[in-house]
Every structure is written in C-alpha cells, then in structure tokens.
Amino acid sequence: MSALPRISVTSGEPAGIGPELLAALADAALPAQLVLLGDRALLRERAACSGSQAEWPDYQRDTTAAVSLLHVPLAQPAVAGQLNTANAQYVLDMLDIATDGCMTGEFAAVVTAPLHKGVINDGVASQSGKFFYGHTEYLAERTHTQRVVMMLTGANLRVALATTHLPLKDVAAAITEDSLTETLEILHSDLKHKFGLANPRILVAGLNPHAGESGHLGREEIDVIIPTLDKLRAQGMTLIGPLPADTLFNPAQLERGDAVLAMYHDQGLPVLKFASFGAGINVTLGLPIIRTSVDHGTALDLAGTGRADAGSLIAATELAINLANAAHG
C-alpha cells in the first residue's frame, strides 16, 4: 500500500448533498488516497451540478490513484431533494463496506457524508424491527463495540456527549455511574492517544440548571455526577465540574480545559455548531477504527443546486488523515 493513508468516504443519502460534496472533496488535493463510495452515475450527475466533469477510476486494492470510486449501485434512480425508502439499504451497504474495510486494514479510516435516519427507519428498520438511531450507534454495533462517545470539534472546541440520540425525557435515567465512567474513560483515552494530549483536561457540564443548585434543581449532580468525577480524579484524571452549562461556554472557562463533556445532545452541540457550522467535524471515539463525519444534515433543499459547502467534509477528511497518520506513525 502507498505511504499515503487510504481513506474511504461514503456519499450518504443519495437525495441529499452528500454525492456532490464528494466531488468537491475529490478536487481538494489532500495528502491521501481517497476511495469514494457511491453509485457512479449518481456521483457523475451531481458532480456536473457543480460544473465538474471529473471521472474517477474504479477502485482496486492495489490502486495508487489519488482518488478512485468504489461503485455501489442504487436500488432506484435518485432524484435530488426527493427521499426514496427504496434506497435505504444502499446507504447502509456503503457504510458496511467502508467499516468492514477499516476493520480488515484495507482502509485507514472512514469519513461519512450525512444520511437521513427517517428514510432508513422507514425503509429498512421497519422491516427488520431494529430502530436506526444514527451513524454512531450503528458503527458501534457493526464493530462490536460496547460503548462509543460522540464528539464534535470545530472553532478550537471539542464537545463530547454523555448521551446521544435520546428523547430528553430519557436522558437523566441514562446517566449512571457506570455509563458516565465509561464515557469519561473513553474520552480521556482517545484525547491522550489519538489527539496527543498528555494530560487531558475535561470540563464536565452538570445535567440540571445551575448544575442542580445544591440539589434544589435536581439531585443527579449529587447522586451520580460528583461521585463519579471524584472516583476518576482519584485515578488521575483532570476533571473540572460539574459546571453550570449556561456559563461553561465562555472563554475564561474554556481555557481551563481541552474538551467539554455535555450531558445530552442539545446541551453542548448548539454552541459548537454556532461557532463552527460548515467547518465542524463529528468524531466517534472508542471505536477500533477511525471515523469522522460532517457536522450537518442532508440539506435536501440544496441538493443538486451546486451550492452546497464542502467545508465540513473536507475538514472531516483532513482530521481522518491526521488521525490515521498518527496511528501508524
């Protein structure tokens, strides 16, 4: 294999902007071998929307091409902006191929363009009986990983989540001493070993307003979060908190840490996405493979217009390259 890392990139929901983002990514001249996954006719059509007439050679295991295409056929022709449940399995097929290739060492990392959870649940999960929660949870199951951590980066911020795609009413029950311990251990380990931080400093948000205000606004901090942090501090982790989430994201606080652990999805990610939307990166920690992704959705209204911004996908690929090089350095 070439000294350059071989990075697989899935094109995601075929009715969304993913296919045309891959065309822009292919033109970015990154220091890697990029393997684009998707239907050849679809990627050609969407590349043309942006004025590109690019053609990529078929992917072969011994390829030295800077960009190649691993053709995965659509079930039905895709129309920009129009979801079609018939193509739900196509999206999962690409993800399976890329993930399995990472597990065998064929690929050094997988970068994922956005998919549409509703289409997959209507088109595949409704038949299998298994609800599709998202990339993060699917990759954990595919790689037989018991727990993973979702972290987004951008604008010099790193924000990880103690819980991911859960209804708000279920969040408090999901935050237990065991789950929080595992999450912090994964976050600490990957910040140290994948991101090169010798002694990661983690800012931990409280669950309740004002971090519970001494129990007057909820006891989760007293009963679960503080005892867990104290236990892990005794093991050598640098953990700051629990901190009130409404004042955590200010420059003075953020300078004290290398990453933030938010208790739930919409506690931490709105701040990061406000600061870095269009250039943010989603990283799945705890996996036996490297996986990064964009920080946005399928943008059906932009699909096929040629106006989609590939900044987040390019940033996600650059980080995947850096992590792959570090892993093999």
Side-chain angles (χ1 to χ4, degrees):
M1 181 180 291
S2 165
L4 295 177
R6 182 171 293 173
I7 310 296
S8 56
V9 190
T10 66
S11 52
E13 167 54 48
I17 60 174
E20 54 214 80
L21 295 183
L22 262 65
L25 173 67
D27 292 336
L30 299 178
Q33 290 185 357
L34 301 183
V35 181
L36 312 181
L37 275 69
D39 183 275
R40 177 176 288 280
L42 172 66
L43 267 60
R44 182 188 294 123
E45 172 192 320
R46 297 295 175 77
C49 293
S50 303
S52 172
Q53 302 299 321
E55 286 286 343
W56 307 290
D58 289 328
Y59 168 68
Q60 305 290 337
R61 283 177 177 265
D62 60 351
T63 186
T64 58
V67 182
S68 57
L69 174 64
L70 200 166
H71 172 66
V72 181
L74 283 162
Q76 293 182 5
V79 178
Q82 297 182 24
L83 298 172
N84 183 350
T85 57
N87 288 322
Q89 187 60 52
Y90 160 81
V91 176
L92 296 182
D93 288 345
M94 289 188 291
L95 195 55
D96 292 347
I97 292 168
T99 303
D100 294 350
C102 289
M103 292 290 285
T104 63
E106 182 178 357
F107 304 129
V110 55
V111 181
T112 57
L115 52 70
H116 194 286
K117 290 189 285 290
V119 167
I120 293 175
N121 280 311
D122 290 341
V124 176
S126 61
Q127 300 175 18
S128 66
K130 295 180 63 176
F131 189 81
F132 180 85
Y133 289 93
H135 271 122
T136 303
E137 296 82 357
Y138 187 83
L139 288 169
E141 182 176 352
R142 186 77 184 178
T143 59
H144 309 290
T145 305
Q146 184 173 3
R147 179 176 291 277
V148 294
V149 175
M150 179 178 176
M151 183 175 79
L152 270 77
T153 72
N156 296 317
L157 289 172
R158 299 185 184 98
V159 180
L161 302 178
T163 61
T164 52
H165 301 115
L166 284 179
L168 193 56
K169 66 181 179 62
D170 297 333
V171 168
I175 298 173
T176 65
E177 182 175 345
D178 287 345
S179 71
L180 191 56
T181 296
E182 291 175 358
T183 295
L184 281 164
E185 288 176 342
I186 291 170
L187 176 57
H188 181 271
S189 177
D190 276 13
L191 287 173
K192 186 174 182 178
H193 298 293
K194 292 183 178 179
F195 288 83
L197 300 173
N199 180 26
R201 302 166 301 159
I202 302 173
L203 305 172
V204 181
L207 173 66
N208 296 295
H210 303 174
E213 204 165 272
S214 300
H216 296 290
L217 294 176
R219 291 193 55 85
E220 285 81 5
E221 286 76 13
I222 293 172
D223 295 340
V224 177
I225 299 175
I226 292 173
T228 302
L229 299 188
D230 287 343
K231 177 189 69 175
L232 294 174
R233 287 189 190 105
Q235 297 175 11
M237 288 192 197
T238 301
L239 306 172
I240 303 166
L243 302 170
D246 64 340
T247 55
L248 191 164
F249 292 96
N250 70 71
Q253 284 280 33
L254 292 172
E255 284 180 2
R256 301 169 64 197
D258 300 300
V260 172
L261 179 66
M263 290 296 112
Y264 56 95
H265 189 281
D266 283 11
Q267 183 186 60
L269 297 194
V271 179
L272 185 138
K273 291 190 177 186
F274 174 78
S276 65
F277 197 76
I281 307 164
N282 184 347
V283 189
T284 306
L285 307 180
L287 290 171
I289 65 173
I290 295 169
R291 180 260 173 163
T292 66
S293 186
V294 296
D295 70 344
H296 57 75
T298 54
L300 297 173
D301 58 324
L302 287 177
T305 67
R307 301 198 310 270
D309 185 349
S312 182
L313 185 64
I314 292 172
T317 307
E318 290 174 334
L319 178 57
I321 294 168
N322 292 338
L323 293 175
N325 285 331
H328 295 91

